[in-house]
Amino acid sequence: MWTIFRKELSDHFTSTRFLITFALILMVAVVTTYTAATNLRQALEGVAKPSHVFLLLFTTSGQLFSLAQFIAFFGPLIGIILGFDAINRERNDNTLSKLISQPIFRDAVINGKFLAGVTTIALMLSSMVLLITGLGLLSVGVVPGGDEAGRLVVYLFVSIAYVSFWMGLAILFSILFRSLATSALAAVALWIFFSFFIGFAASLVAGAIAPVDNPRDPRQVVANRNAEDAASLASPVVLYSQATSTILDPF
């Protein structure tokens, strides 16, 4: 497994696809954080600085969205890009049969590829958070405290687990489907559903479980709302957004 891990890790770091994806995501994240830091610095001029001001770099919206919203929305694409062709590419290139013919377990192949992807994601997100932290120190001039640093570490681990989940899902589709396009489309379709249509689906489920016959009845309205919130938790995007808002917004 460790041999496959080292080989896949080397392939990730030397592939043009990874370098282009990482450069694009890093550029957008840095620009978003820079605009957020500029707006934050202007808002803090002449006023008493609140506590946990450094965390506002990750939650304050720039021109379009904040860094936390950017990772929640585009993070799954990183995992899908890293995992959608992990197995079926080997199968189409006729290298999977040669690999399995060696004294190696099949689960070791999958585990090695998954661990290589997790390591790549961890290095990518860690470098992004560290770079944005340095950018925030230069632009805002506020040093993060111990509580803020701890929250950033927890946020980093949650983000790695979130993106790794989507990569594992993409690897599963690469096992189930022989075609590269089919596995990629299946993962992207699931991401689109959980990102854009989960609210509509949760509303339908809530209407079936706890319908509101009388809009003036607060008990029915509250029960419907609770059912909708519970149904929306089936989306990893919603779970990640709620987790990051709790971690990065202590107020």
Side-chain angles (χ1 to χ4, degrees), residues 125-146:
L125 294 180
S126 299
S127 61
M128 185 182 303
V129 170
L130 290 175
L131 181 59
I132 291 172
T133 300
L135 182 63
L137 290 174
L138 293 176
S139 58
V140 181
V142 177
V143 179

Side-chain angles (χ1 to χ4, degrees), residues 8 39 50 55 75 78 84 133 155 157 159 168-169 186 220 244 249:
E8 289 295 319
N39 297 334
L55 296 178
I78 303 175
F84 79 95
T133 300
Y155 166 72
F157 277 106
S159 300
L169 194 65
Q220 292 185 1
T244 53
D249 190 4

Side-chain angles (χ1 to χ4, degrees), residues 16-30 124:
T16 305
R17 177 178 60 184
F18 167 77
L19 296 177
I20 294 176
T21 304
F22 178 64
L24 179 62
I25 293 175
L26 187 62
M27 178 187 65
V28 175
V30 169
M124 182 187 303

